[in-house]
């Protein structure tokens, strides 16, 4: 219920912001050569000459039918455009998050256990680099190193041949469902560099947070007591302390996933990844208001869903939250 | 046979205000199947002593400038991290002082106890076991229930499914006692384990420890500030003041015939039910950063002599098994 309210508020906000963006979308779409009459007729066709509240009503009605209005660039309904591009972005973001979590947590634990020793110092340098180097630069460096010089991985795109039969739109999943193993490997190779590039900054942040949380856990009375009464170190660290540490890392992971969706466009641009983020940026530049609203709405839904998942996981991981309810 | 023997142990802490010289030449020993009490007022360094033996004192800020801790034949302070952990988890057990912070809040009691029962003292745990894909979990929880029953927790089958925050302080304390009795330790270090419990349950716990001592030849270092408990349970008692041992003797001798002025004060400060006037010891525990010179007790001592502020008294035997660190009894002393 709360989520529906949030989304309604977001839709309202985005809608009006997109309408007050400077520049006339009809004029931009038709170009400087178009006559006054042509522009006026397009404005009428798009409903731009009607009062704002009527426009919003029409927009909401469309939303329930799965329509977001026509895109001025592709001349198709924005909803269809998004459905086509969203899976690419999802695949990219999810893979990147997976890399960030699987890399960041063990690295954070190791740094905490070897606090201020070599491993920790290396991971610290790595973390600073991961956060501070611009992503487009890292992406291009990866392309030069792995694709151009070593020739191991493709430079751009999602897949070399035809995409597998579309079921989810996630090529990895679709190719598995179709048992098309070569397509799986190929799309995996394409996915590797962009997702790695996108994952670096979150990976670095997760490493640092996990390290800090683990250091705190190592000092806790219960960790010391468990160790003292003979719990094997492995279990004490990777089961008992990590669960506690992960609970507070989770919030950050949620936020970072949102951040990734918002920041995927640089990566999509560099790697010619046919995703939603690139589409969003292009529509902002061309003042394609329906597309802007659509993309923003999807990102908002993404945030809400991620928050919900994080909350549910929280309750599952920490009885103190669960029992309070 | 001597299980544990501590000689001239010093512990310092680095603090912002300077070095806190908390333990000052502690000497202490525990024999096989013996229950040894360690008593003293709050802040005198009892828990620090226990944690040093167990190797759980955070270092830094703590450090050991001098001393020896012999456990059977091993000098614990010289062992490397792994060997020390092995010795400790195989042969020692511990009941921590603070039940509120000593249990992991995000695991159920049964899970924590079950894992200890299955894996205590092991160095490696296979990945399948770790993920709980092997059998044995069920038996472990059943054993946990049995152990909880022995510490007289009501409805132990319920308790294993509960999280520590759902338990009262006394219940957590008993969970910790049950945990400490998993396995067959040679030495149990109990840091005020019955402070949070009421008298009847306290009695049950003491009986349980007594049984363990008899059946398994367990040795116990029992820390308490309650001389009544010490009288009931301990064969021998060490009285600690300001980070040093003031006096030690068989419990009976010590209570009947204390000779250190501090012990005398301690015993006379036990409130009596008869309503006699309550006599305490004036003053407070010393400041460890700038401790009194000579005997650390001398600023509070009713029988102060000139030498007390100058020289540190040594722990010497004045009667059979009765040692005291006081200038009144040292060579060339008052008596
Ligand atoms: N990490 C530390 N840093 C500095 N000082 C410490 C540290 N740990 C303990 N101390 C000091 O050591 C002294 C003895 O503490 P300890 O916990 O051993 O007291 P205790 O005898 O167990 O008292 P209680 O009966 O209240 O448990 C205290 O003055 C305390 O301030
Ligand atoms: Mg204490």
């Amino acid at each position: 219920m709360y989520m529906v309210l949030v989304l309604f508020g977001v839709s309202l906000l985005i809608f009006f912001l997109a309408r007050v963006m400077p520049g006339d979308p009809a004029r931009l779409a038709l170009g400087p050569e178009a006559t006054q009459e042509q522009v006026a007729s397009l404005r009428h066709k798009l409903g731009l000459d009607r009062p704002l509240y009527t426009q919003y009503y029409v927009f909401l009605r469309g939303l329930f039918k799965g329509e977001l209005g026509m895109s001025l660039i592709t001349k198709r309904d924005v909803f269809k455009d998004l459905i086509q591009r969203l899976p690419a972005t999802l695949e990219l973001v999810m893979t990147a998050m997976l890399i960030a979590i699987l890399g960041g947590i063990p690295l954070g634990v190791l740094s905490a256990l070897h606090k201020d020793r070599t491993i920790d110092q290396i991971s610290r340098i790595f973390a600073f680099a991961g956060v501070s180097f611009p992503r487009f630069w890292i992406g291009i460096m990866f392309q030069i190193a792995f694709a151009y010089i070593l020739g191991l991985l493709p430079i751009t795109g999602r897949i070399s041949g035809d995409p597998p039969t579309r079921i989810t739109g996630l090529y990895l999943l679709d190719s598995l469902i179709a048992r098309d193993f070569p397509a799986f490997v190929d799309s995996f190779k394409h996915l590797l560099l962009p997702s790695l590039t996108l994952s670096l900054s979150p990976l670095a942040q997760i490493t640092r947070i996990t390290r800090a949380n683990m250091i705190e856990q190592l000092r806790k009375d219960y960790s010391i007591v468990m160790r003292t009464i003979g719990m094997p170190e492995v279990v004490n660290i990777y089961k008992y302390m990590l669960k506690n540490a992960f609970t507070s890392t989770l919030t950050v992971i949620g936020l970072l996933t949102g951040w990734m969706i918002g920041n995927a466009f640089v990566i999509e641009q560099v790697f010619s990844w046919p995703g939603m983020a690139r589409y969003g940026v292009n529509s902002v530049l061309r003042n394609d208001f329906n597309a802007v609203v659509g993309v923003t709405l999807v990102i908002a839904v993404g945030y809400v869903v991620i928050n919900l998942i994080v909350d549910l996981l929280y309750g599952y991981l920490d009885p103190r939250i669960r029992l309070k309810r | 046979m001597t299980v544990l023997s501590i000689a001239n142990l010093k512990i310092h802490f680095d603090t912002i205000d300077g070095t806190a010289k908390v333990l000052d030449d502690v000497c202490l020993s525990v024999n096989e199947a013996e229950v040894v009490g360690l008593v003293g007022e709050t802040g005198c360094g009892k828990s620090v002593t226990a944690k040093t033996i167990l190797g759980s004192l955070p270092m830094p800020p703590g450090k050991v400038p001098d001393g020896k801790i012999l456990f059977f034949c091993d000098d614990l302070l010289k062992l490397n991290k792994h060997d020390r952990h092995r010795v400790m988890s195989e042969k020692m057990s511990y009941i921590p002082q603070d039940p509120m912070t000593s249990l992991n809040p995000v695991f159920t009691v049964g899970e924590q106890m079950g894992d200890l029962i299955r894996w205590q003292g092991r160095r490696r745990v296979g990945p399948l076991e770790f993920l709980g894909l092997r059998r044995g979990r069920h038996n472990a929880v059943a054993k946990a229930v049995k152990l909880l029953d022995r510490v007289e927790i009501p409805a132990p089958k319920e308790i294993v499914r509960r999280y520590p925050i759902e338990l009262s302080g006394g219940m957590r304390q008993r969970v910790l006692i049950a945990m400490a009795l998993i396995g067959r330790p040679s030495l149990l270090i109990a840091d005020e384990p019955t402070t949070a419990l009421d008298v009847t349950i306290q009695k049950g716990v003491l009986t349980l420890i007594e049984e363990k001592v008899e059946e398994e030849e367990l040795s116990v270092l029992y820390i308490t500030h309650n001389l009544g408990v010490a009288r009931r349970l301990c064969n021998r008692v060490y009285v600690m003041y300001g980070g040093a041992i003031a006096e030690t003797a068989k419990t009976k001798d010590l209570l009947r015939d204390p000779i250190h002025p501090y012990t005398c004060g301690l015993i006379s400060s036990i409130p009596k039910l008869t309503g006699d006037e309550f006599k305490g010891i004036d003053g407070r525990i010393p400041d460890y950063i700038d401790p009194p010179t000579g005997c650390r007790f001398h600023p509070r001592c009713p029988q102060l002599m000139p030498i007390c502020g100058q020289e540190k008294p040594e722990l010497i035997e004045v009667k059979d098994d009765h040692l005291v660190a006081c200038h009144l009894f040292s060579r060339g002393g008052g008596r």
Side-chain angles (χ1 to χ4, degrees), chain A residues 221 229-230 232 239-240 244 319, chain B residues 89 101 104 111 115 120-122:
Chain A
D221 273 1
I229 53 184
K239 178 170 178 180
Y240 284 88
N244 283 284
Chain B
S89 48
T101 59
N104 194 318
E111 179 114 28
D115 282 350
Q120 188 179 54
R122 300 231 321 241

Side-chain angles (χ1 to χ4, degrees), chain B residues 100-316:
Chain B
M100 301 319 263
T101 59
S102 297
L103 287 166
N104 194 318
V106 304
F107 289 89
T108 59
V109 168
E111 179 114 28
Q112 306 193 29
M113 290 188 73
D115 282 350
L116 267 176
I117 289 167
R118 282 188 296 167
W119 296 329
Q120 188 179 54
R122 300 231 321 241
R123 186 124 169 228
R124 283 182 212 296
V125 172
L128 285 180
E129 285 177 283
F130 189 86
L131 294 173
L133 297 179
R134 284 260 187 95
R135 276 181 299 151
R137 200 189 180 84
H138 201 74
N139 289 343
V141 174
K143 194 171 169 204
V145 171
K146 232 181 255 159
L147 280 167
L148 289 174
D149 203 38
R150 286 192 73 183
V151 291
E152 295 171 45
I153 279 194
K157 276 188 189 139
E158 288 279 308
I159 300 292
V160 288
R161 273 185 272 125
R162 299 265 198 95
Y163 288 93
I165 38 158
E166 299 175 272
L167 306 182
S168 72
M171 281 160 124
R172 293 186 205 189
Q173 183 82 76
R174 277 176 280 169
V175 170
L176 286 162
I177 295 170
M179 279 183 166
L181 298 180
I182 294 170
R184 293 187 61 128
S186 313
L187 175 68
L188 170 69
I189 297 178
D191 197 346
E192 311 207 15
T194 57
T195 317
L197 304 178
D198 53 56
V199 185
T200 35
I201 295 165
Q202 182 175 334
K203 231 170 130 186
V205 169
L206 296 184
T207 314
L208 187 63
I209 293 176
E210 276 169 347
E211 274 171 31
K212 275 269 187 183
V213 171
E214 255 169 47
E215 286 164 18
E216 298 173 12
E217 310 222 299
L218 178 72
S219 312
V220 183
L221 179 62
Y222 195 96
I223 297 173
T224 179
H225 51 242
N226 185 338
L227 280 169
V229 171
R231 188 211 318 253
R232 149 104 208 254
L233 190 69
C234 303
N235 308 106
R236 241 167 359 111
V237 171
Y238 284 86
V239 178
M240 198 169 189
Y241 179 81
I245 300 296
E247 182 171 3
T248 170
K250 295 235 168 63
T251 316
K252 264 188 288 156
D253 298 343
L254 189 99
L255 290 177
R256 200 185 330 119
D257 189 14
I259 50 182
H260 194 288
Y262 174 66
T263 321
C264 301
L266 203 63
I267 290 170
S268 72
S269 71
I270 301 173
K272 304 219 169 59
L273 287 175
T274 48
D276 285 351
E277 200 198 333
F278 176 80
K279 273 201 289 174
I281 317 169
D282 292 331
R284 279 188 292 145
I285 205 98
D287 172 16
Y288 288 113
I289 291 169
D290 184 20
T293 52
C295 172
R296 284 188 174 181
F297 186 59
H298 85 259
R300 292 167 73 183
C301 188
Q303 284 163 280
L304 183 64
M305 299 184 300
I307 190 177
C308 296
Q310 293 152 15
E311 243 175 75
K312 197 164 78 179
E314 271 175 52
L315 197 61
I316 53 167

